[in-house]
Amino acid sequence: MRCRGSDGFYLPPFPTMHEVSRLLQAAAALSQLLHDAGVPHAFYGNVLTAVLSRAALADEILCVVEGGAAHPFRRVRQACAGNEDFTIVASPWSNRCRLHVKYQRLIPAIDIEILVAGEEGPRRLDGSTVMVVGNVPFLTITEFLRAKVKAWSLRGRDQDARDIVYAMTRYWSRVDLNRIPEQEMNDFASRVPAVASPWQELKRKYGMS
């Protein structure tokens, strides 16, 4: 069997809602390949808030991959080699190349974007930054919130805002304040009243208010 990798390019698809169970199936399959190849990784996106809230659908799943002797994209390509369930596709639709993995065992296929640890998400993926939910490694609540706040400050997406609200209103007591970009979070809290109270509680917990 050969990995159906592609040297072609494609435009980013419109977000597609999938059953969360299907997203987790795709994540588990990719995670097993990366684990077997010794590649530290963790999943990210609104699939996490869907899992935690027991929602049926989600439309965002990404995988943060740590580098090593090789670039994270190469490590993913090498891990997928020989597995026909995955197609690797590069997409330079922004000002930098991106890598997507498509899990084709399911119809429609599940698209997982690969992110470079340190550029998006924490630089190191270990027990302090990764938690296991349903046998799938995800960024911890703190790292998830940090990434979402940074994403919202850059793009202002409503989906990122909803994820921040969910994480802060339900899990603020589990957040490490030292990892959260304070200015961006202050800005968010000033615009979204729902998180103002938990944000103040978190700062009070750390003696900052």
Side-chain angles (χ1 to χ4, degrees):
M1 295 186 297
R2 293 178 59 83
C3 179
R4 295 191 293 258
S6 171
D7 292 326
F9 302 115
Y10 79 122
L11 293 175
F14 289 105
T16 300
M17 296 300 289
H18 292 280
E19 294 179 7
V20 171
S21 61
R22 291 162 59 87
L23 295 177
L24 292 178
Q25 180 181 337
L30 178 57
S31 182
Q32 187 63 58
L33 292 180
L34 295 175
H35 175 77
D36 290 347
V39 181
H41 63 282
F43 291 88
Y44 165 66
N46 67 26
V47 62
L48 177 58
T49 55
V51 169
L52 296 176
S53 64
R54 299 181 185 276
L57 301 172
D59 65 4
E60 181 188 51
I61 183 168
L62 312 99
C63 185
V64 182
V65 176
E66 189 176 310
H71 189 279
F73 287 1
R74 174 176 287 187
R75 301 185 84 181
V76 172
R77 290 179 184 276
Q78 291 173 339
C80 286
N83 191 299
E84 64 181 7
D85 290 334
F86 290 95
T87 297
I88 308 295
V89 187
S91 59
W93 50 268
S94 66
N95 58 2
R96 63 187 179 86
C97 186
R98 308 179 84 97
L99 190 73
H100 293 250
V101 175
K102 296 183 76 71
Y103 182 63
Q104 303 201 130
R105 181 176 286 271
L106 299 175
I107 301 176
I110 304 296
D111 183 280
I112 303 175
E113 182 173 357
I114 305 301
L115 304 179
V116 176
E119 293 182 6
E120 298 189 56
R123 186 173 301 279
R124 295 298 179 193
L125 298 169
D126 54 30
S128 66
T129 57
V130 178
M131 64 180 183
V132 177
V133 180
N135 295 319
V136 174
F138 285 95
L139 293 183
T140 61
I141 294 296
T142 292
E143 296 301 333
F144 173 83
L145 181 61
R146 173 184 169 84
K148 283 290 181 177
V149 170
K150 292 176 71 175
W152 177 84
S153 68
L154 290 173
R155 297 186 287 269
R157 293 195 317 157
D158 289 342
Q159 181 59 65
D160 292 327
R162 288 193 291 270
D163 289 337
I164 293 168
V165 169
Y166 181 86
M168 278 299 296
T169 56
R170 289 164 175 79
Y171 299 104
W172 68 265
S173 63
R174 294 171 56 179
V175 172
D176 179 355
L177 181 64
N178 297 312
R179 291 288 296 160
I180 306 303
E182 184 177 2
Q183 185 56 51
E184 288 90 336
M185 192 64 203
N186 283 335
D187 184 32
F188 184 84
S190 70
R191 300 188 189 193
V192 184
V195 304
S197 179
W199 176 233
Q200 287 301 317
E201 287 296 326
L202 180 59
K203 290 197 290 185
R204 187 175 296 114
K205 176 182 175 182
Y206 280 76
M208 295 179 61
S209 62

